[in-house]
Amino acid sequence: MGKLSILIISAILILGCGQSKSNNEVTLPNDSGIQVVDSISRMVKLSSPPETLKASALPDSITVKITNNTNDTITTGLHYSIERFEADRWKDVSPKGIVIPDLGWRIVPNGSETFTKKLYKDRIHYTAGKYRILKDYIKSDYQKTRENFNVSAEFIIEE
């Protein structure tokens, strides 16, 4: 009877120890045939609808949404920059001397926050091309790593 109990308990422990995947992890085969976890859906994302704007009807501001698809709480603020894609690289076109309050938002895993960002039409000469709003954020281990991360949302301006 004792050996049977130990066998049953061992079987339950072995079967119960299997790690289940979270709903937003996908296992993909790689070239070596080994299964790897797809981390594309496990990142911080910045989005800004609409993706295409007319230069003649450019709004004063644009709404961006930062979504935290990681397992870590992140912190972001109101600061942002505007960049234009020129000559195969991103160039900062944000007006100099703009003061942005230093407020922080903590975004929990799978959480999001929406911000309204001014486009400074009176100080930036927008022409047809590709632009992006660039925001930075830090992870909860910032005190140890001192790492800053950037996330961006692209949009196109047409004539």
Side-chain angles (χ1 to χ4, degrees), residues 17-102:
C17 288
Q19 297 284 333
S20 64
K21 292 184 188 90
S22 123
N23 287 340
N24 35 350
E25 288 182 356
V26 178
T27 303
L28 300 172
N30 64 15
D31 291 338
S32 65
I34 299 171
Q35 301 291 311
V36 294
V37 176
D38 174 20
S39 62
I40 292 172
S41 63
R42 305 295 307 235
M43 62 185 166
V44 177
K45 179 182 175 190
L46 191 68
S47 55
S48 66
E51 293 176 3
T52 303
L53 303 168
K54 293 279 186 196
S56 60
L58 196 62
D60 291 333
S61 60
I62 191 168
T63 301
V64 295
K65 181 178 182 180
I66 187 167
T67 304
N68 179 9
N69 293 320
T70 70
N71 292 328
D72 196 4
T73 297
I74 64 168
T75 303
T76 190
L78 294 176
H79 186 267
Y80 68 101
S81 61
I82 302 170
E83 297 182 335
R84 176 181 163 80
F85 194 70
E86 293 180 4
D88 294 327
R89 66 180 189 87
W90 289 101
K91 178 184 175 191
D92 188 1
V93 295
S94 300
K96 303 303 176 220
I98 297 294
V99 177
I100 299 174
D102 192 14

